Amino acid sequence: MAEQHTPRSLIVTLYGAYGREKEGSLAVAELIRLLAAVGVDAPSVRSSVSRLKRRGLLVPERTTAGAAGYALSADARQLLDDGDRRIYPHPRPRAREGWVLAVFSVPESERNKRHVLRSRLAGLGFGTAAPGVWIAPARLYEETRHTLERLQLAPYVDLFRGEHLGFAPTAEAVGRWWDLAAIAKQHEEFLGRHEPVLRGWETRAHTAPSAEVPSEEAYRDYLLALDSWRRLPYADPGLPTSLLPPNWPGERSAEVFRRLHARLRDAGAAFVQGPSSTETA
């Protein structure tokens, strides 16, 4: 298993890709089977599930067959629903759609929350316009509001919508607000790992168009691609193309993921829906 794919991350990715379609919970035994296909052993699954339970993302719930399992919490469902709007490619916004500004002030007595706030805003894709002033495309407002409310950070933040009026050209200012070189590198790394996988599947489809797609292989390649991809739309907030450097790799990586999703997601679902076990934890 590639180093960047942690068991905890893969479990969240699995629930995001397939878990919301299943009624009730996913059995522990089923989670172990599905994560084994991407190289995660049973103790790691159990340990990671426990951590996700402590974080309030998973809640214990027996399946309809009576097996021990876990379901998504309400907060986790909101988190995944917000994530869908980021993860699945959509047209980039135009510059005239404007910006959302987050201006925060945290009392010195609660300075630990200052670090949490900065981390969460950075994790949402905000850039830093000035100390205590963070900026992102306006379409991220709803997700930002949900996140700050869920983490009980809203009392420390004021949110504004607006446009950049100068004095530097907006494209130049964007280069100060975000580390575009670092974001581009992440896109290139995604392409290096997953573009050859896409080429392999497309070659197979061309040479044997009527061949059945192996569901476990499709599931494995899709889950790993989605686990890599779902971080990128948070590092890259989806800036308007007119504000990005020439030959920006984000468009190419989004297209690679879109094609992998179209080719493998439903084929992999057959493996997820495979024989379920009633084994208890």
Side-chain angles (χ1 to χ4, degrees):
M1 185 176 60
E3 184 178 354
Q4 73 274 10
H5 299 292
T6 67
R8 207 180 322 174
S9 176
L10 285 164
I11 290 169
V12 173
T13 300
L14 171 61
Y15 271 95
Y18 298 109
R20 284 173 288 176
E21 295 180 357
K22 298 173 77 70
E23 293 193 10
S25 64
L26 285 169
V28 174
E30 191 173 5
L31 285 170
I32 289 170
R33 175 182 75 87
L34 293 171
L35 272 295
V38 289
V40 181
D41 59 30
S44 296
V45 173
R46 294 180 189 277
S47 173
S48 297
V49 165
S50 294
R51 291 191 185 99
L52 291 167
K53 176 186 171 184
R54 287 197 296 271
R55 288 180 57 193
L57 297 177
L58 294 180
V59 292
E61 184 178 299
R62 290 201 170 262
T63 68
T64 54
Y70 287 87
L72 291 165
S73 67
D75 280 350
R77 285 187 174 274
Q78 181 68 70
L79 189 67
L80 290 172
D81 289 346
D82 283 340
D84 286 350
R85 290 189 284 273
R86 292 278 195 113
I87 291 166
Y88 299 104
H90 48 76
R92 285 187 175 266
R94 287 174 283 196
R96 68 170 180 263
E97 293 177 26
W99 306 93
V100 58
L101 292 177
V103 180
F104 67 82
S105 177
V106 179
E108 186 61 25
S109 60
E110 298 179 274
R111 59 181 177 274
N112 61 307
K113 292 184 178 178
R114 194 177 303 144
H115 172 71
V116 176
L117 252 172
R118 288 171 179 152
S119 297
R120 296 315 302 160
L121 290 172
L124 286 164
F126 276 70
T128 309
V133 181
W134 293 62
I135 187 166
R139 64 182 176 81
L140 301 188
Y141 162 70
E142 288 290 344
E143 185 181 359
T144 301
R145 183 174 64 83
H146 292 158
T147 300
L148 295 175
E149 288 174 344
R150 184 174 64 250
L151 297 175
Q152 299 181 342
L153 295 170
Y156 306 96
V157 185
D158 285 305
L159 297 176
F160 303 87
R161 289 183 188 268
E163 57 182 311
H164 181 238
L165 298 177
F167 293 93
T170 305
E172 180 183 320
V174 159
R176 297 195 308 268
W177 299 339
W178 283 273
D179 186 346
L180 296 179
I183 296 171
K185 183 179 178 182
Q186 292 185 56
H187 282 296
E188 296 289 358
E189 288 171 350
F190 176 85
L191 288 164
R193 286 192 297 268
H194 298 289
E195 196 169 32
V197 175
L198 174 63
R199 283 199 299 267
W201 280 102
E202 290 183 337
T203 298
R204 287 162 66 167
H206 179 72
T207 56
S210 60
E212 185 176 344
V213 176
S215 63
E216 182 174 353
E217 190 178 350
Y219 159 82
R220 183 181 65 246
D221 284 351
Y222 178 65
L223 194 73
L224 293 175
L226 177 58
D227 193 56
S228 293
W229 170 257
R230 71 183 181 87
R231 300 173 181 87
L232 259 173
Y234 289 90
D236 179 348
L239 299 169
T241 304
S242 62
L243 302 180
L244 291 168
N247 302 315
W248 181 251
E251 300 297 337
R252 195 165 123 235
S253 65
E255 176 64 11
V256 165
F257 175 72
R258 185 194 66 77
R259 285 155 63 183
L260 283 167
H261 175 78
R263 187 170 295 277
L264 302 181
R265 193 267 174 201
D266 289 347
F271 179 72
V272 176
Q273 299 294 338
S276 60
S277 171
T278 58
E279 175 188 335
T280 57

